[in-house]
Amino acid sequence: PFKYFKAVRKALTMRAELIPYIYSSYYQMHLSGIAFVRPLYYDYQQEEMAYTVSQDPTGKFSQYSFGDDIMVAPVVHKAKSGYLVR
Protein backbone atom coordinates (compact mmCIF):
# COMPACT_ATOMS: atom_id res chain seq x y z
CA PRO A 1 0.00 0.00 0.00
CA PHE A 2 0.96 3.58 -0.59
CA LYS A 3 1.09 4.39 3.15
CA TYR A 4 4.35 2.39 3.41
CA PHE A 5 5.97 4.03 0.39
CA LYS A 6 8.12 6.52 2.36
CA ALA A 7 9.39 3.89 4.80
CA VAL A 8 10.24 1.43 2.02
CA ARG A 9 11.92 4.13 -0.03
CA LYS A 10 14.00 5.23 2.97
CA ALA A 11 15.06 1.63 3.72
CA LEU A 12 16.03 0.97 0.10
CA THR A 13 17.97 4.24 -0.12
CA MET A 14 19.87 3.41 3.08
CA ARG A 15 20.64 -0.06 1.73
CA ALA A 16 21.97 1.39 -1.52
CA GLU A 17 24.15 3.85 0.40
CA LEU A 18 25.59 1.07 2.58
CA ILE A 19 26.50 -1.32 -0.26
CA PRO A 20 29.99 0.15 -0.91
CA TYR A 21 30.73 0.09 2.84
CA ILE A 22 29.55 -3.51 3.17
CA TYR A 23 31.51 -4.71 0.14
CA SER A 24 34.76 -3.04 1.24
CA SER A 25 34.28 -4.23 4.83
CA TYR A 26 33.71 -7.80 3.69
CA TYR A 27 36.88 -7.61 1.62
CA GLN A 28 38.83 -6.44 4.69
CA MET A 29 37.19 -9.24 6.69
CA HIS A 30 38.36 -11.72 4.06
CA LEU A 31 41.94 -10.44 4.34
CA SER A 32 42.10 -10.18 8.14
CA GLY A 33 39.75 -12.95 9.30
CA ILE A 34 37.99 -10.57 11.71
CA ALA A 35 34.22 -10.99 11.83
CA PHE A 36 32.08 -8.33 10.14
CA VAL A 37 29.31 -8.40 12.77
CA ARG A 38 30.72 -8.71 16.28
CA PRO A 39 29.93 -7.85 19.92
CA LEU A 40 31.24 -4.54 21.26
CA TYR A 41 33.62 -6.18 23.69
CA TYR A 42 35.52 -7.64 20.73
CA ASP A 43 36.69 -4.14 19.71
CA TYR A 44 36.75 -2.56 23.18
CA GLN A 45 38.23 -5.28 25.39
CA GLN A 46 39.63 -2.83 27.97
CA GLU A 47 36.27 -1.05 28.43
CA GLU A 48 34.21 -2.67 31.18
CA MET A 49 31.03 -1.08 29.85
CA ALA A 50 31.40 -2.96 26.57
CA TYR A 51 30.54 -6.14 28.44
CA THR A 52 27.38 -4.78 30.07
CA VAL A 53 26.01 -1.68 28.29
CA SER A 54 24.94 -3.65 25.25
CA GLN A 55 22.64 -5.94 27.21
CA ASP A 56 18.89 -5.44 27.17
CA PRO A 57 16.86 -6.21 30.35
CA THR A 58 16.63 -9.91 29.43
CA GLY A 59 20.42 -10.17 29.38
CA LYS A 60 20.72 -10.53 25.61
CA PHE A 61 23.21 -8.41 23.72
CA SER A 62 21.50 -5.98 21.38
CA GLN A 63 24.29 -3.55 20.44
CA TYR A 64 26.99 -4.73 18.10
CA SER A 65 29.61 -3.55 15.65
CA PHE A 66 28.70 -3.67 11.96
CA GLY A 67 32.12 -3.50 10.38
CA ASP A 68 34.72 -1.11 11.75
CA ASP A 69 32.72 2.11 11.51
CA ILE A 70 29.09 1.41 12.45
CA MET A 71 27.61 0.45 15.80
CA VAL A 72 24.08 -0.93 15.69
CA ALA A 73 21.90 -0.20 18.71
CA PRO A 74 18.34 -1.30 17.90
CA VAL A 75 15.29 -0.30 19.91
CA VAL A 76 14.01 -3.65 21.18
CA HIS A 77 11.11 -2.67 23.44
CA LYS A 78 7.68 -1.39 22.54
CA ALA A 79 7.05 2.34 23.14
CA LYS A 80 10.74 3.20 23.26
CA SER A 81 12.05 5.65 20.74
CA GLY A 82 15.72 5.30 21.63
CA TYR A 83 18.27 5.10 24.39
CA LEU A 84 21.69 6.38 25.29
CA VAL A 85 24.45 4.73 23.32
CA ARG A 86 27.83 4.76 25.06
Side-chain angles (χ1 to χ4, degrees), residues 33-50:
I34 296 173
F36 180 67
V37 176
R38 54 192 178 265
L40 295 180
Y41 56 79
Y42 188 89
D43 293 322
Y44 306 102
Q45 296 175 8
Q46 303 302 321
E47 297 291 332
E48 186 177 330
M49 290 184 70

Side-chain angles (χ1 to χ4, degrees), residues 14-81:
M14 183 183 299
R15 178 186 176 271
E17 291 172 352
L18 284 173
I19 286 176
Y21 171 75
I22 292 170
Y23 272 75
S24 62
S25 294
Y26 266 96
Y27 179 70
Q28 290 300 322
M29 177 194 70
H30 170 74
L31 295 177
S32 68
I34 296 173
F36 180 67
V37 176
R38 54 192 178 265
L40 295 180
Y41 56 79
Y42 188 89
D43 293 322
Y44 306 102
Q45 296 175 8
Q46 303 302 321
E47 297 291 332
E48 186 177 330
M49 290 184 70
Y51 295 89
T52 58
V53 74
S54 59
Q55 290 181 342
D56 68 13
T58 64
K60 296 179 183 175
F61 288 97
S62 58
Q63 293 179 9
Y64 56 91
S65 296
F66 186 74
D68 291 334
D69 301 317
I70 297 176
M71 181 178 66
V72 178
V75 177
V76 294
H77 298 288
K78 185 178 178 179
K80 288 213 173 192
S81 60

